[in-house]
Amino acid sequence: MVGGGAADLSPTVAVKIFSAGTAGCVAELVTFPLDIAKVRLQIQGESKPSPEGQMIKYRGVFGTIFTIAKTEGPRSLYNGLVAGLHRQACFASVRIGLYDTMKQVYANGSENAGIGTRLLAGCSTGAMAVAFAQPTDVVKIRLQAQVRLSASGTAKRYSSTFDAYKTIGRDEGVRGLWKDNMPCHFTAGFAAGLCTTIVVSPVDVVKTRIMNSPPGRYSGAINCALIMLMKEGPTAFYKGFIPAFLRLGSWNIVMFMSYEQIKRAFIRYQQSRDSAL
């Protein structure tokens, strides 16, 4: 093979799906504390508006991370990690692993896909991934929002990841695991790949509030947004903006670097196996 390199062979769909899911899990491990900080900041002030002068528990990205580690222990920075890995195994493998395949489908097999085709492929895989990974996202956010305080007399909502799946399914029905099935959530999936954090943040905050809420608190995404606006003001839609921005950038860097290296490793293995035959 002339100039044989890892880029000479095209990875199969199965390799792309596996590589994307694995890379997503690596990125999740690296950036998870930022995600915890984002969720805690997004739900802060949800139950009741903070009176004038009342101390805010979480302030800023690193202040939130420090507070969680100090009051709940460093392990709490990884609350919901198992569900997060479940989510990436589902979400990243579909959204990124199937992207090239969907792009070729829309381009009728052509390698020269235009911007419209690429956007359509991104929206399609994004919607599929959101629908597929929805239960894992609900459980992840519930566990991230769950405060672990040994001195508190309040029982934890869920004792483990699988207890959360079981409890939500039992108490809220199967639909509870697909909470917030409004178009707003699919918009969040699309916007995450197409727009900046500035555009995504309000939808992401609403999504987090709905997923973390007990049954009956909100009647839907619009109702949640209106309650937030009236009780907390327009700035509530940008709670957790900085950690969301930092995580989005760092997650994508780690994810795509890992994705390319895992694909190359599979291709090198295939080349060495073929050359030995």
Side-chain angles (χ1 to χ4, degrees):
M1 183 180 296
V2 179
D8 291 333
L9 288 177
S10 178
T12 64
V13 174
V15 167
K16 289 179 180 178
I17 291 174
F18 177 82
S19 299
T22 304
C25 289
V26 172
E28 192 77 359
L29 282 167
V30 173
T31 64
F32 204 78
L34 289 171
D35 200 31
I36 285 275
K38 181 201 76 167
V39 169
R40 293 292 181 90
L41 287 167
Q42 285 179 336
I43 64 173
Q44 183 165 249
E46 176 182 22
S47 299
K48 55 184 179 181
S50 300
E52 190 74 24
Q54 180 176 320
M55 181 179 293
I56 301 297
K57 186 174 184 180
Y58 304 118
R59 293 183 183 276
V61 187
F62 299 107
T64 300
I65 292 174
F66 177 78
T67 299
I68 294 171
K70 181 180 178 181
T71 59
E72 304 172 47
R75 289 183 59 187
S76 291
L77 292 172
Y78 285 88
N79 283 356
L81 176 62
V82 174
L85 297 178
H86 290 170
R87 182 179 186 274
Q88 293 307 326
C90 299
F91 187 84
S93 59
V94 173
R95 183 171 69 91
I96 297 169
L98 287 180
Y99 172 75
D100 287 337
T101 301
M102 291 300 296
K103 184 176 66 175
Q104 290 183 347
V105 168
Y106 288 126
N108 295 320
S110 173
E111 294 294 332
N112 299 317
I115 184 65
T117 300
R118 293 173 186 272
L119 291 177
L120 185 59
C123 286
S124 297
T125 55
M128 291 165 59
V130 166
F132 191 48
Q134 179 81 346
T136 62
D137 204 18
V138 172
V139 170
K140 184 190 78 163
I141 286 177
R142 295 280 183 94
L143 292 172
Q144 287 178 321
Q146 180 170 267
V147 178
R148 292 183 177 178
L149 293 176
S150 57
S152 174
T154 306
K156 292 188 298 184
R157 258 174 120 176
Y158 312 108
S159 60
S160 67
T161 302
F162 292 101
D163 177 61
Y165 284 120
K166 182 177 71 175
T167 303
I168 294 171
R170 183 191 65 214
D171 296 347
E172 303 175 41
V174 176
R175 291 185 60 186
L177 290 169
W178 270 269
K179 200 165 192 179
D180 186 19
N181 57 359
M182 302 287 288
C184 151
H185 193 62
F186 286 96
T187 302
F190 295 157
L194 302 175
C195 305
T196 64
T197 310
I198 295 174
V199 175
V200 173
S201 185
V203 181
D204 193 37
V205 175
V206 170
K207 182 197 78 170
T208 297
R209 292 286 182 95
I210 290 178
M211 285 185 170
N212 186 55
S213 66
R217 174 173 288 179
Y218 305 114
S219 61
I222 295 176
N223 174 254
C224 177
L226 289 174
I227 290 174
M228 284 175 56
L229 183 63
M230 291 187 292
K231 287 180 60 178
E232 304 170 58
T235 57
F237 293 100
Y238 285 91
K239 286 186 174 182
F241 175 81
I242 298 299
F245 177 76
L246 292 176
R247 183 177 188 262
L248 181 63
S250 57
W251 190 94
N252 278 293
I253 291 171
V254 175
M255 192 277 169
F256 282 106
M257 287 178 64
S258 302
Y259 180 48
E260 290 302 319
Q261 293 306 311
I262 294 169
K263 281 197 303 182
R264 288 170 184 261
F266 270 102
I267 292 172
R268 283 195 293 268
Y269 169 74
Q270 184 179 347
Q271 286 178 326
S272 63
R273 185 190 61 184
D274 292 345
S275 63
L277 295 178

